[in-house]
Amino acid sequence: IKPLRKSFDYIIFDCPPSLNHQTKNALWASDYLIIPVEPEPLSYEGTRQLIGEIIPELQQSNRKLKLGGVLIKHRSAALRKWLPVQIRGKLDTLRKGIRFQNEIRVDQALAKMAIKHSPACVYSGASRGVEDYYVVTQEFLKRTGA
């Protein structure tokens, strides 16, 4: 990664939601970690454990790793409305300012682009999911002072 850092402003690793070898290597090479979370109790519990136990352990070997924030992603359009409110509240009490204020809404274009193996901005540049990621990117840049 070191030689690539000079050529790019940002390098993004999209990793599976497990602490396998690939994910750990990405975290050791990263400056920031963004945790995408579905507003569900088990996702919250995993996030809480990641923030409270696993990230501090990883920071022992990668001192520059910082938590860039927790990003709520809505997976199901049928998701009960009270559950995201509960998860937002729990995240806010976990650590002040941890949660991105902007969220990723449900969007079929994002699901379809994964099947097509095409970036969302190429597959459907006008979709609301692409718009959401743009807004979240701007929020991330503000958070990190970039």
Side-chain angles (χ1 to χ4, degrees), residues 13 30 62 76 86 89 91 96 101 110 117 133 139 144:
F13 302 107
S30 296
N62 178 359
S76 170
Q86 296 295 319
L91 287 169
K96 184 176 168 69
Q101 293 305 301
L110 294 178
H117 300 288
Y133 275 109
E139 185 178 346
T144 60

Side-chain angles (χ1 to χ4, degrees), residues 16 28 32 42-44 46 48 50 58 65-66 81 99 107 118 122 124 127 140:
W28 285 322
Y32 291 96
L42 291 177
S43 293
Y44 167 76
R48 187 183 60 72
L50 186 63
L58 291 168
L65 181 64
K66 296 174 222 54
K81 293 183 189 255
R99 181 176 55 87
D107 184 11
S118 174
V122 173
S124 181
S127 77
F140 174 76

Side-chain angles (χ1 to χ4, degrees), residues 2-134:
K2 230 177 213 177
L4 295 174
R5 284 182 178 265
K6 294 176 183 172
S7 301
F8 298 96
D9 293 331
Y10 292 92
I11 300 170
I12 299 173
F13 302 107
D14 184 7
C15 299
S18 63
L19 283 175
N20 60 23
H21 190 65
Q22 174 189 359
T23 303
K24 285 183 179 180
N25 282 336
L27 290 169
W28 285 322
S30 296
D31 296 332
Y32 291 96
L33 167 64
I34 296 173
I35 305 170
V37 175
E38 292 178 21
E40 297 282 345
L42 291 177
S43 293
Y44 167 76
E45 286 303 320
T47 300
R48 187 183 60 72
Q49 184 179 16
L50 186 63
I51 292 168
E53 301 168 23
I54 298 168
I55 292 174
E57 182 181 312
L58 291 168
Q59 288 172 323
Q60 297 298 319
S61 58
N62 178 359
R63 299 240 183 249
K64 66 183 186 285
L65 181 64
K66 296 174 222 54
L67 180 59
V70 176
L71 175 62
I72 293 181
K73 293 179 53 179
H74 296 276
R75 183 177 197 157
S76 170
L79 190 64
R80 294 169 288 209
K81 293 183 189 255
W82 62 268
L83 193 53
V85 171
Q86 296 295 319
I87 299 300
R88 283 184 201 105
K90 285 179 169 270
L91 287 169
D92 291 345
T93 58
L94 185 62
R95 187 182 297 174
K96 184 176 168 69
I98 194 174
R99 181 176 55 87
F100 280 88
Q101 293 305 301
N102 297 289
E103 298 177 0
I104 307 301
R105 295 172 285 177
V106 175
D107 184 11
Q108 287 297 318
L110 294 178
K112 289 178 183 175
M113 70 87 193
I115 293 168
K116 302 270 187 190
H117 300 288
S118 174
C121 59
V122 173
Y123 179 77
S124 181
S127 77
R128 67 183 188 182
V130 170
E131 291 171 13
D132 291 346
Y133 275 109
Y134 176 79

